[in-house]
Amino acid sequence: MNERRTESVGPTLEELRQRLVDFAAARRWEPFHTPKNLASALTVEAGELLEIFQWLTPEQAAVVMADPDRAHRVRDEVADVLAYLLQFCTAVGVDPLTALAAKIERNELRFPVPGTPAEGEEVNP
């Protein structure tokens, strides 16, 4: 699970972000891509992703991707959520990868691995 990918198999996050910027610009949608509107759209799309799993048992939810129709819907909603998140980040000037890396670092300090000393704590042999 800790494997890191060393080669890119698809477009970069920046390439996708730029395609979204260009897509909106070509349609003159920029005036509507305000932080509030994009945050609202992101919430709606996240809700549509949740809707796929609504009322499923944990066992049913675990096999959603085995059903081609549901898997297609999941991939589409994931794409919508990511698209609106990238557009939101563009609108507010947040680098999502930098923000995520900083948050992971804070969480690693906040939630140490069980059995390891917290930062500044002495280890008693």
Side-chain angles (χ1 to χ4, degrees):
M1 188 93 180
N2 286 335
E3 293 179 21
R4 293 186 183 199
R5 296 170 87 174
T6 56
E7 63 182 70
S8 178
V9 293
T12 67
L13 199 60
E14 177 55 28
E15 289 168 340
L16 293 173
R17 189 198 66 76
Q18 189 59 54
R19 282 185 69 187
L20 290 167
V21 167
D22 295 344
F23 183 89
R27 289 151 183 82
R28 298 188 179 112
W29 289 350
E30 301 102 323
F32 307 104
H33 284 197
T34 64
K36 181 198 76 69
N37 288 350
L38 292 166
S40 296
L42 175 59
T43 301
V44 169
E45 295 301 337
E48 290 179 7
L49 177 60
L50 175 59
E51 184 180 30
I52 298 166
F53 295 90
Q54 186 177 14
W55 311 120
L56 297 183
T57 66
E59 295 78 19
Q60 292 168 325
V63 296
V64 160
M65 297 305 285
D67 174 358
D69 290 334
R70 281 187 169 172
H72 183 274
R73 286 185 59 211
V74 168
R75 285 190 295 272
D76 276 356
E77 296 308 333
V78 165
D80 288 343
V81 168
L82 183 56
Y84 279 118
L85 179 60
L86 290 176
Q87 290 172 324
F88 176 83
C89 287
T90 298
V92 298
V94 169
D95 177 328
L97 296 181
T98 300
L100 178 57
K103 181 65 175 186
I104 291 169
E105 286 178 26
R106 286 193 305 276
N107 282 344
E108 288 171 339
L109 294 174
R110 189 171 167 207
F111 304 104
V113 174
T116 61
E119 188 173 321
E121 206 174 65
E122 288 188 30
V123 179
N124 293 323

